[in-house]
Amino acid sequence: MNRVEIERKVLSENDRIAAGLRGRFLSQGTLCVNLISAPGSGKTALLERTLESLDPQRRVAVLTGDIQTDNDAARLRRYGFPVRQITTGGTCHLDARMISRALEDSTWGSLEILFIENVGNLVCPASYDLGEAAKIVLLSVTEGEDKPLKYPSIFLKSSLAILTKIDLLPYLQFDIERAEENAHHIHPAMEIIRCSSATNAGIDRWNEWLAKRRQEILRSKPEFETAGAS
Amino acid sequence: MNRVEIERKVLSENDRIAAGLRGRFLSQGTLCVNLISAPGSGKTALLERTLESLDPQRRVAVLTGDIQTDNDAARLRRYGFPVRQITTGGTCHLDARMISRALEDSTWGSLEILFIENVGNLVCPASYDLGEAAKIVLLSVTEGEDKPLKYPSIFLKSSLAILTKIDLLPYLQFDIERAEENAHHIHPAMEIIRCSSATNAGIDRWNEWLAKRRQEILRSKPEFETAGAS
């Protein structure tokens, strides 16, 4: 088997496990979102502001991936929701098997929202389906307007782009309209939210987006499950 | 052959080509440096300031890697030095074969300095030797102090870390001493330069670092070549 065939086999095995996860999330009414960005674009900070804004009674959990350290899990645990670190030990992305194992080991039961914070990498995580309802790409305004054109795959596969750190715009030469045009050039129907975890700008819109997507999950839940859950 | 064996074979083939490149650079007295960072950390901006500061008569060239677009090459060509874009078309890193082919296709002859700007990715490029004299990791101060701990491989393999965008420090909660401690925790002997491509801070130190490393290359050049070059 050559390298391309091996890659194909790994991805098809991943897709099989991801399909199982997607079925499980759907039957449990769980909205699962997969947050992807470059290192340091603010995935953890956005999740901190999000968890802080949520009613602590809600059934919400986080899986956070890193090559090394459990720094992100430690930051996120302060908000009272269950958080699990997946340390990949060198692997540049999360895969469906890592998610499946982490969920098997947990006692979380059925969740309303599962946030997955992927490894900081704008390339490789785009290839791995984790059974999520939506991939979400974060782009910090410190990174340059041309990133959607340079990393088209993740912008094509994400339902939503979050432009982060907009509080820094006054100090940067960053043309935010141009960045949005570039994202729409790659993915015309892409939704975009401008956000700052320093000022909380955009957090309400992001929570509305999550609520709307969760309703869609509940509406598409198989009949027999909806009946049982009422 | 399983996936791990295939990976090993690919890397050993890469190492073979990289060794050839390294021999060629050494015999020609070329300092080759491989710049690696997350997307948007300022590799291209640093190279712009560097090329701008160099005597246009010097034999200096740039190979710049991206998944898509030749934006970076277009930016860098304005400084009068030869620049070639390597568009990887999806591959998340540059490998030695891409460098070898780009050099074969060029008419650059022997160079004083070859800058390689890798694909924006803090993970995968760390595994690929390109025959360079030094890997250099860039970390933007917008990205967080813990990045050396989260991405240890590239900090371990790099001779030099450049902390970029330090002009933004007044607007960030970024503890630069802590970031440097973290880098030294992973790699105690690592040199670090604080830099801003907006204010040109640190560019002189970076040019001194390059000059010193070039002298080391010339001193280690095989005898017969030194005689011929005088």
Side-chain angles (χ1 to χ4, degrees), chain A residues 51-134:
Chain A
L51 297 179
E52 193 177 57
S53 72
L54 292 176
D55 177 348
Q57 300 304 314
R58 292 190 63 187
R59 288 172 290 111
V60 169
V62 183
L63 291 176
T64 180
D66 269 306
I67 291 175
Q68 290 295 341
T69 82
D70 60 354
N71 293 4
D72 289 353
R75 279 170 65 184
L76 293 169
R77 273 196 199 103
R78 293 181 292 188
Y79 301 91
F81 296 97
V83 178
R84 253 189 117 84
Q85 180 82 41
I86 302 175
T87 306
T88 68
T91 303
C92 55
H93 58 270
L94 294 176
D95 65 31
R97 189 181 297 277
M98 298 177 196
I99 303 302
S100 177
R101 280 193 187 140
L103 292 177
E104 272 165 31
D105 291 348
S106 82
T107 52
W108 295 348
S110 81
L111 295 166
E112 296 172 50
I113 307 179
L114 174 64
F115 293 104
I116 299 175
E117 179 183 353
N118 220 308
V119 175
N121 183 335
L122 212 41
V123 190
C124 317
S127 303
Y128 289 82
D129 185 2
L130 306 182
E132 71 278 330

Coordinates of all heavy atoms in Angstrom, one line a residue, chain A residues 51-134:
Chain A
L51 N -18.6 29.9 28.2 CA -19.0 29.2 29.4 C -19.4 30.1 30.5 O -20.4 29.9 31.2 CB -17.8 28.3 29.9 CG -17.3 27.2 28.9 CD1 -16.1 26.5 29.6 CD2 -18.4 26.2 28.6
E52 N -18.7 31.2 30.6 CA -19.1 32.3 31.6 C -20.5 32.8 31.4 O -21.2 33.2 32.3 CB -18.1 33.4 31.4 CG -18.0 34.4 32.5 CD -16.9 35.4 32.1 OE1 -16.9 36.0 31.0 OE2 -15.9 35.6 32.9
S53 N -20.9 32.8 30.1 CA -22.2 33.4 29.8 C -23.4 32.4 29.9 O -24.5 32.8 29.8 CB -22.2 34.0 28.4 OG -22.2 32.9 27.4
L54 N -23.0 31.2 30.1 CA -24.1 30.1 30.1 C -24.6 29.8 31.5 O -23.9 29.9 32.5 CB -23.6 28.8 29.5 CG -23.2 28.8 28.0 CD1 -22.6 27.5 27.6 CD2 -24.4 29.1 27.2
D55 N -25.9 29.5 31.6 CA -26.5 29.0 32.9 C -25.8 27.8 33.3 O -25.7 26.8 32.6 CB -28.0 28.7 32.6 CG -28.7 28.2 33.8 OD1 -28.1 27.8 34.8 OD2 -30.0 28.1 33.7
P56 N -25.2 27.8 34.6 CA -24.4 26.6 35.0 C -25.2 25.3 35.1 O -24.6 24.2 35.2 CB -24.0 27.0 36.4 CG -24.2 28.5 36.5 CD -25.3 28.8 35.6
Q57 N -26.6 25.4 35.0 CA -27.4 24.2 35.0 C -27.4 23.5 33.7 O -27.9 22.3 33.6 CB -28.8 24.5 35.4 CG -29.0 25.2 36.8 CD -28.4 24.3 37.9 OE1 -28.6 23.1 38.0 NE2 -27.5 24.9 38.8
R58 N -26.9 24.1 32.7 CA -27.0 23.5 31.3 C -26.1 22.4 31.2 O -25.0 22.4 31.8 CB -26.8 24.6 30.3 CG -28.0 25.6 30.3 CD -27.9 26.5 29.1 NE -28.1 25.7 27.8 CZ -27.9 26.3 26.6 NH1 -27.6 27.6 26.5 NH2 -28.1 25.6 25.5
R59 N -26.4 21.4 30.4 CA -25.6 20.2 30.2 C -24.7 20.5 29.0 O -25.0 20.2 27.8 CB -26.5 19.0 29.9 CG -27.2 18.5 31.2 CD -28.2 17.4 30.9 NE -29.3 17.9 30.2 CZ -29.7 17.6 28.9 NH1 -28.9 16.8 28.2 NH2 -30.7 18.1 28.4
V60 N -23.5 21.1 29.3 CA -22.6 21.6 28.4 C -21.2 21.0 28.8 O -20.9 21.0 30.0 CB -22.5 23.1 28.3 CG1 -21.3 23.6 27.5 CG2 -23.8 23.6 27.7
A61 N -20.4 20.5 27.8 CA -19.1 20.0 28.1 C -18.1 20.4 27.0 O -18.5 20.8 26.0 CB -19.1 18.5 28.3
V62 N -16.8 20.3 27.4 CA -15.7 20.7 26.5 C -14.7 19.6 26.4 O -14.2 19.0 27.4 CB -15.0 22.0 26.9 CG1 -14.0 22.4 25.9 CG2 -16.0 23.1 27.2
L63 N -14.3 19.2 25.1 CA -13.1 18.4 24.9 C -12.1 19.3 24.2 O -12.4 20.0 23.2 CB -13.4 17.3 23.9 CG -14.4 16.2 24.4 CD1 -14.6 15.2 23.3 CD2 -13.7 15.4 25.6
T64 N -10.9 19.4 24.8 CA -9.9 20.3 24.3 C -8.6 19.6 23.9 O -8.1 18.8 24.7 CB -9.7 21.5 25.2 OG1 -8.7 22.4 24.7 CG2 -9.2 21.1 26.6
G65 N -8.2 19.8 22.7 CA -7.0 19.0 22.2 C -5.8 19.9 22.1 O -5.8 21.0 21.8
D66 N -4.7 19.2 22.6 CA -3.4 19.9 22.5 C -2.3 18.8 22.3 O -2.5 17.7 22.7 CB -3.0 20.7 23.7 CG -3.5 22.2 23.6 OD1 -3.1 22.8 22.6 OD2 -4.2 22.6 24.4
I67 N -1.2 19.2 21.7 CA -0.1 18.3 21.5 C 0.5 17.9 22.8 O 0.8 16.8 23.1 CB 0.9 18.9 20.5 CG1 0.3 18.9 19.1 CG2 2.2 18.1 20.5 CD1 1.1 19.6 18.1
Q68 N 0.7 19.0 23.6 CA 1.3 18.8 25.0 C 0.5 19.8 25.9 O 0.0 20.8 25.4 CB 2.8 19.1 25.0 CG 3.7 18.1 24.3 CD 3.6 16.7 25.0 OE1 3.2 16.6 26.2 NE2 4.0 15.7 24.3
T69 N 0.6 19.5 27.2 CA 0.1 20.3 28.3 C -1.4 20.2 28.4 O -2.1 19.8 27.5 CB 0.3 21.9 28.2 OG1 -0.6 22.5 27.3 CG2 1.7 22.2 27.8
D70 N -1.9 20.4 29.7 CA -3.4 20.5 29.8 C -3.8 21.9 30.3 O -4.7 22.1 31.1 CB -3.9 19.4 30.8 CG -3.3 19.5 32.2 OD1 -2.4 20.4 32.4 OD2 -3.7 18.8 33.1
N71 N -3.0 22.9 29.9 CA -3.2 24.3 30.2 C -4.7 24.7 29.9 O -5.3 25.4 30.7 CB -2.3 25.2 29.4 CG -0.8 25.1 29.8 OD1 -0.5 24.2 30.6 ND2 0.0 25.9 29.3
D72 N -5.1 24.4 28.7 CA -6.5 24.9 28.3 C -7.6 24.3 29.1 O -8.5 25.0 29.5 CB -6.7 24.5 26.8 CG -5.8 25.3 25.9 OD1 -5.1 26.2 26.3 OD2 -5.8 25.0 24.7
A73 N -7.5 23.0 29.4 CA -8.5 22.4 30.3 C -8.5 23.0 31.6 O -9.6 23.3 32.2 CB -8.2 20.9 30.4
A74 N -7.3 23.4 32.2 CA -7.2 24.0 33.5 C -7.9 25.4 33.4 O -8.7 25.8 34.4 CB -5.8 24.2 33.9
R75 N -7.7 26.1 32.4 CA -8.4 27.4 32.2 C -9.9 27.3 32.2 O -10.6 28.0 32.8 CB -7.9 28.1 30.9 CG -6.6 28.8 31.1 CD -6.0 29.3 29.7 NE -6.9 30.3 29.1 CZ -6.6 30.8 27.9 NH1 -5.6 30.4 27.1 NH2 -7.4 31.8 27.4
L76 N -10.3 26.2 31.4 CA -11.8 26.1 31.1 C -12.5 25.5 32.3 O -13.7 25.7 32.5 CB -12.0 25.3 29.9 CG -11.5 26.0 28.6 CD1 -11.4 25.0 27.4 CD2 -12.4 27.2 28.3
R77 N -11.9 24.8 33.2 CA -12.6 24.1 34.3 C -13.1 25.1 35.3 O -14.0 24.8 36.1 CB -11.6 23.1 35.0 CG -11.6 21.8 34.3 CD -11.0 20.7 35.2 NE -10.7 19.6 34.2 CZ -9.5 19.3 33.8 NH1 -8.5 20.0 34.2 NH2 -9.3 18.3 32.9
R78 N -12.5 26.3 35.3 CA -12.9 27.3 36.3 C -14.4 27.7 36.2 O -14.9 28.4 37.1 CB -12.1 28.6 36.2 CG -10.6 28.3 36.6 CD -9.8 29.5 36.4 NE -9.6 29.9 35.0 CZ -8.8 30.9 34.6 NH1 -8.1 31.5 35.5 NH2 -8.7 31.2 33.3
Y79 N -15.0 27.4 35.0 CA -16.4 27.8 34.8 C -17.5 26.8 35.3 O -18.7 27.0 35.1 CB -16.6 28.3 33.4 CG -15.6 29.4 33.1 CD1 -14.3 29.1 32.6 CD2 -15.9 30.7 33.4 CE1 -13.4 30.1 32.3 CE2 -15.0 31.7 33.1 CZ -13.7 31.4 32.6 OH -12.8 32.4 32.4
G80 N -17.0 25.7 35.8 CA -17.9 24.8 36.5 C -18.5 23.7 35.5 O -19.2 22.8 36.0
F81 N -18.2 23.7 34.3 CA -18.7 22.7 33.3 C -17.6 21.6 33.2 O -16.4 21.9 33.3 CB -19.0 23.3 32.0 CG -20.1 24.3 32.0 CD1 -19.8 25.7 32.1 CD2 -21.4 23.9 32.0 CE1 -20.9 26.6 32.1 CE2 -22.5 24.9 32.0 CZ -22.2 26.2 32.1
P82 N -18.0 20.4 32.9 CA -17.0 19.4 32.7 C -16.1 19.6 31.5 O -16.6 19.9 30.4 CB -17.8 18.1 32.6 CG -19.2 18.5 32.2 CD -19.4 19.9 32.7
V83 N -14.8 19.4 31.6 CA -13.8 19.6 30.6 C -12.8 18.4 30.6 O -12.4 18.0 31.7 CB -13.0 20.9 30.9 CG1 -12.0 21.1 29.8 CG2 -13.9 22.1 31.0
R84 N -12.5 17.9 29.4 CA -11.5 16.9 29.3 C -10.4 17.3 28.3 O -10.8 17.8 27.2 CB -12.2 15.6 28.8 CG -12.4 14.5 29.7 CD -12.8 13.3 29.0 NE -11.8 12.3 29.1 CZ -11.8 11.4 30.2 NH1 -12.7 11.5 31.2 NH2 -10.9 10.5 30.3
Q85 N -9.2 17.1 28.7 CA -8.1 17.4 27.8 C -7.8 16.2 27.0 O -7.7 15.1 27.6 CB -6.9 17.8 28.6 CG -5.6 18.2 27.8 CD -5.7 19.6 27.2 OE1 -6.0 20.5 27.9 NE2 -5.3 19.7 26.0
I86 N -7.6 16.3 25.7 CA -7.0 15.2 24.9 C -5.6 15.6 24.5 O -5.5 16.6 23.8 CB -7.9 14.9 23.7 CG1 -9.3 14.6 24.1 CG2 -7.2 13.8 22.8 CD1 -10.3 14.4 22.8
T87 N -4.6 15.0 25.1 CA -3.2 15.3 24.7 C -2.8 14.4 23.6 O -2.7 13.2 23.8 CB -2.3 15.2 25.9 OG1 -2.9 16.0 27.0 CG2 -0.9 15.7 25.6
T88 N -2.5 14.9 22.4 CA -2.3 14.1 21.2 C -0.9 13.5 21.2 O -0.6 12.6 20.4 CB -2.6 14.8 19.9 OG1 -1.6 15.8 19.8 CG2 -4.0 15.4 19.9
G89 N 0.0 14.2 22.0 CA 1.4 13.7 22.0 C 2.2 13.7 20.7 O 2.9 12.9 20.4
G90 N 1.9 14.8 19.9 CA 2.6 14.9 18.6 C 1.7 15.0 17.4 O 2.1 15.6 16.4
T91 N 0.6 14.3 17.5 CA -0.4 14.4 16.4 C -1.0 15.8 16.2 O -1.4 16.4 17.2 CB -1.5 13.3 16.6 OG1 -0.8 12.0 16.7 CG2 -2.4 13.2 15.4
C92 N -1.0 16.2 15.0 CA -1.3 17.6 14.6 C -2.8 17.9 14.5 O -3.1 19.0 14.1 CB -0.6 17.9 13.3 SG -1.1 16.8 12.0
H93 N -3.7 17.0 14.9 CA -5.1 17.2 14.8 C -5.8 16.2 15.7 O -5.2 15.2 16.2 CB -5.5 16.9 13.4 CG -5.2 15.4 13.0 ND1 -4.0 15.1 12.4 CD2 -5.8 14.3 13.1 CE1 -3.9 13.8 12.2 NE2 -5.0 13.3 12.6
L94 N -7.1 16.4 16.0 CA -7.9 15.4 16.7 C -8.5 14.5 15.6 O -8.8 15.0 14.5 CB -9.0 16.1 17.5 CG -8.6 17.0 18.7 CD1 -9.8 17.6 19.3 CD2 -7.8 16.1 19.7
D95 N -8.7 13.3 16.0 CA -9.5 12.4 15.1 C -10.7 11.8 15.8 O -10.8 12.0 17.0 CB -8.6 11.3 14.4 CG -8.1 10.3 15.4 OD1 -8.7 10.0 16.4 OD2 -7.0 9.8 15.2
A96 N -11.6 11.2 15.0 CA -12.9 10.7 15.6 C -12.7 9.7 16.7 O -13.4 9.6 17.7 CB -13.7 10.1 14.5
R97 N -11.6 8.9 16.6 CA -11.4 7.8 17.6 C -11.0 8.5 18.9 O -11.4 8.0 20.0 CB -10.2 6.9 17.1 CG -10.1 5.7 18.1 CD -9.0 4.8 17.6 NE -9.2 4.2 16.3 CZ -10.0 3.1 16.1 NH1 -10.5 2.5 17.1 NH2 -10.1 2.6 14.9
M98 N -10.2 9.6 18.9 CA -9.9 10.3 20.2 C -11.2 10.8 20.8 O -11.3 10.8 22.1 CB -9.0 11.5 19.9 CG -7.6 11.1 19.3 SD -6.6 12.6 18.9 CE -5.4 11.9 17.8
I99 N -12.1 11.3 20.0 CA -13.3 11.9 20.6 C -14.2 10.7 21.2 O -14.7 10.8 22.3 CB -14.1 12.6 19.5 CG1 -13.3 13.7 18.8 CG2 -15.5 13.1 20.0 CD1 -12.8 14.8 19.7
S100 N -14.3 9.6 20.4 CA -15.1 8.5 20.8 C -14.5 8.0 22.2 O -15.3 7.7 23.1 CB -15.0 7.4 19.7 OG -15.7 6.3 20.1
R101 N -13.2 7.8 22.3 CA -12.6 7.3 23.5 C -12.9 8.2 24.7 O -13.2 7.8 25.8 CB -11.1 7.1 23.3 CG -10.8 5.9 22.6 CD -9.3 5.5 22.7 NE -9.0 4.4 21.9 CZ -7.9 4.3 21.1 NH1 -7.0 5.2 21.1 NH2 -7.7 3.2 20.3
A102 N -12.7 9.5 24.4 CA -12.9 10.5 25.5 C -14.3 10.5 26.0 O -14.6 10.6 27.2 CB -12.5 11.9 25.0
L103 N -15.3 10.3 25.1 CA -16.7 10.3 25.5 C -17.0 9.0 26.3 O -17.7 8.9 27.2 CB -17.6 10.4 24.3 CG -17.6 11.8 23.7 CD1 -18.4 11.8 22.4 CD2 -18.0 12.9 24.6
E104 N -16.4 7.9 25.8 CA -16.6 6.6 26.5 C -16.1 6.6 27.9 O -16.7 6.1 28.8 CB -15.8 5.4 25.8 CG -16.6 4.8 24.6 CD -15.7 4.0 23.8 OE1 -14.6 3.4 24.3 OE2 -15.9 3.9 22.6
D105 N -15.0 7.3 28.1 CA -14.4 7.4 29.5 C -15.1 8.4 30.4 O -14.9 8.5 31.6 CB -12.9 7.8 29.4 CG -12.1 6.8 28.8 OD1 -12.6 5.6 28.6 OD2 -10.9 7.1 28.4
S106 N -16.0 9.2 29.8 CA -16.7 10.2 30.6 C -18.0 9.7 31.2 O -18.5 8.7 30.7 CB -17.0 11.5 29.8 OG -18.1 11.3 29.0
T107 N -18.5 10.4 32.1 CA -19.8 10.1 32.7 C -20.8 11.2 32.4 O -21.6 11.6 33.3 CB -19.7 9.9 34.2 OG1 -19.1 11.0 34.8 CG2 -18.9 8.6 34.5
W108 N -20.6 11.8 31.3 CA -21.4 13.1 31.0 C -22.9 12.8 30.6 O -23.6 13.8 30.7 CB -20.7 13.9 29.9 CG -19.3 14.4 30.3 CD1 -18.8 14.4 31.5 CD2 -18.4 14.9 29.4 NE1 -17.5 14.9 31.5 CE2 -17.2 15.2 30.2 CE3 -18.3 15.2 28.0 CZ2 -16.1 15.8 29.6 CZ3 -17.2 15.7 27.5 CH2 -16.1 16.1 28.3
G109 N -23.2 11.6 30.2 CA -24.6 11.4 29.8 C -24.9 12.2 28.5 O -24.0 12.6 27.8
S110 N -26.1 12.5 28.3 CA -26.5 13.2 27.1 C -26.3 14.7 27.3 O -26.6 15.2 28.4 CB -27.9 12.9 26.6 OG -28.8 13.7 27.4
L111 N -25.7 15.4 26.3 CA -25.4 16.8 26.5 C -26.2 17.7 25.6 O -26.7 17.2 24.5 CB -23.9 17.0 26.1 CG -22.8 16.3 26.9 CD1 -21.5 16.3 26.2 CD2 -22.7 17.0 28.3
E112 N -26.4 19.0 26.0 CA -27.0 19.9 25.1 C -26.0 20.4 24.0 O -26.2 20.5 22.8 CB -27.5 21.1 25.9 CG -28.6 20.8 26.8 CD -29.0 22.0 27.7 OE1 -29.2 23.1 27.2 OE2 -29.0 21.8 28.9
I113 N -24.8 20.8 24.5 CA -23.7 21.3 23.6 C -22.4 20.6 24.0 O -22.1 20.6 25.2 CB -23.5 22.8 23.7 CG1 -24.9 23.6 23.5 CG2 -22.5 23.3 22.7 CD1 -24.7 25.1 23.6
L114 N -21.7 20.1 23.0 CA -20.3 19.6 23.2 C -19.4 20.5 22.4 O -19.6 20.5 21.1 CB -20.2 18.2 22.8 CG -18.8 17.6 22.8 CD1 -18.2 17.6 24.2 CD2 -18.7 16.2 22.2
F115 N -18.6 21.3 23.0 CA -17.6 22.1 22.3 C -16.3 21.2 22.2 O -15.8 20.7 23.2 CB -17.2 23.3 23.1 CG -18.3 24.3 23.3 CD1 -19.0 24.4 24.4 CD2 -18.6 25.2 22.2 CE1 -20.0 25.4 24.6 CE2 -19.6 26.1 22.3 CZ -20.3 26.2 23.5
I116 N -15.8 21.1 21.0 CA -14.5 20.5 20.8 C -13.5 21.6 20.3 O -13.7 22.3 19.3 CB -14.5 19.4 19.7 CG1 -15.5 18.3 20.1 CG2 -13.1 18.8 19.4 CD1 -15.7 17.2 19.0
E117 N -12.5 21.8 21.1 CA -11.4 22.7 20.7 C -10.3 21.9 20.1 O -9.6 21.2 20.8 CB -10.9 23.5 22.0 CG -9.8 24.5 21.7 CD -9.3 25.2 22.9 OE1 -9.8 25.0 24.0 OE2 -8.3 25.9 22.7
N118 N -10.1 22.1 18.8 CA -9.1 21.3 18.1 C -7.7 21.7 18.4 O -7.5 22.8 19.1 CB -9.3 21.3 16.6 CG -9.1 20.0 16.0 OD1 -8.1 19.3 16.1 ND2 -10.1 19.5 15.2
V119 N -6.7 21.0 18.0 CA -5.3 21.4 18.1 C -5.1 22.7 17.3 O -5.7 22.8 16.2 CB -4.4 20.3 17.6 CG1 -2.9 20.7 17.5 CG2 -4.5 19.0 18.4
G120 N -4.2 23.6 17.7 CA -4.0 24.8 17.0 C -3.3 24.5 15.7 O -2.1 24.3 15.7
N121 N -4.0 24.5 14.6 CA -3.5 24.2 13.3 C -4.6 24.4 12.3 O -5.7 23.9 12.4 CB -3.1 22.7 13.3 CG -2.5 22.2 12.0 OD1 -2.6 22.7 11.0 ND2 -1.7 21.1 12.2
L122 N -4.2 25.3 11.3 CA -5.2 25.7 10.3 C -5.3 24.8 9.1 O -6.1 25.0 8.2 CB -4.9 27.1 9.8 CG -6.0 28.1 9.4 CD1 -7.2 28.1 10.4 CD2 -5.4 29.5 9.4
V123 N -4.5 23.7 9.1 CA -4.4 22.9 7.9 C -5.0 21.5 8.2 O -6.1 21.2 7.8 CB -2.9 22.7 7.5 CG1 -2.9 22.0 6.1 CG2 -2.2 24.0 7.4
C124 N -4.3 20.7 9.0 CA -4.6 19.2 9.1 C -6.0 18.9 9.7 O -6.7 18.0 9.3 CB -3.5 18.5 9.9 SG -1.9 19.0 9.3
P125 N -6.5 19.7 10.8 CA -7.8 19.3 11.3 C -8.9 19.4 10.3 O -9.9 18.8 10.5 CB -7.9 20.4 12.5 CG -6.5 20.7 12.9 CD -5.8 20.7 11.5
A126 N -8.7 20.2 9.3 CA -9.8 20.3 8.2 C -10.2 19.0 7.6 O -11.3 18.8 7.2 CB -9.4 21.3 7.2
S127 N -9.2 18.0 7.6 CA -9.4 16.7 6.9 C -10.2 15.7 7.8 O -10.5 14.7 7.3 CB -8.1 16.1 6.5 OG -7.4 17.0 5.7
Y128 N -10.3 16.0 9.1 CA -10.9 15.0 10.0 C -12.3 15.3 10.5 O -12.4 16.3 11.3 CB -9.9 14.8 11.2 CG -8.6 14.1 10.7 CD1 -7.6 14.8 10.1 CD2 -8.5 12.7 10.8 CE1 -6.5 14.1 9.6 CE2 -7.4 12.0 10.3 CZ -6.4 12.8 9.7 OH -5.3 12.1 9.3
D129 N -13.2 14.5 10.1 CA -14.6 14.7 10.6 C -14.6 14.1 12.0 O -14.1 13.0 12.2 CB -15.5 13.8 9.6 CG -17.0 13.9 10.0 OD1 -17.3 14.7 10.9 OD2 -17.8 13.3 9.3
L130 N -15.2 14.9 12.9 CA -15.3 14.4 14.3 C -16.8 14.1 14.7 O -17.1 14.0 15.8 CB -14.7 15.4 15.3 CG -13.2 15.9 15.0 CD1 -12.8 16.9 16.0 CD2 -12.3 14.7 14.9
G131 N -17.6 14.0 13.6 CA -19.0 13.8 13.9 C -19.8 15.1 14.3 O -20.9 15.1 14.7
E132 N -19.1 16.2 14.2 CA -19.6 17.5 14.6 C -20.8 17.9 13.7 O -20.8 17.6 12.5 CB -18.6 18.6 14.6 CG -18.1 19.1 13.2 CD -17.0 18.1 12.6 OE1 -16.3 17.5 13.3 OE2 -17.0 18.1 11.3
A133 N -21.7 18.8 14.2 CA -22.7 19.4 13.4 C -22.1 20.5 12.5 O -22.6 20.8 11.5 CB -23.8 20.0 14.3
A134 N -21.1 21.1 13.1 CA -20.5 22.2 12.3 C -19.0 22.4 12.7 O -18.7 22.3 13.9 CB -21.2 23.6 12.6

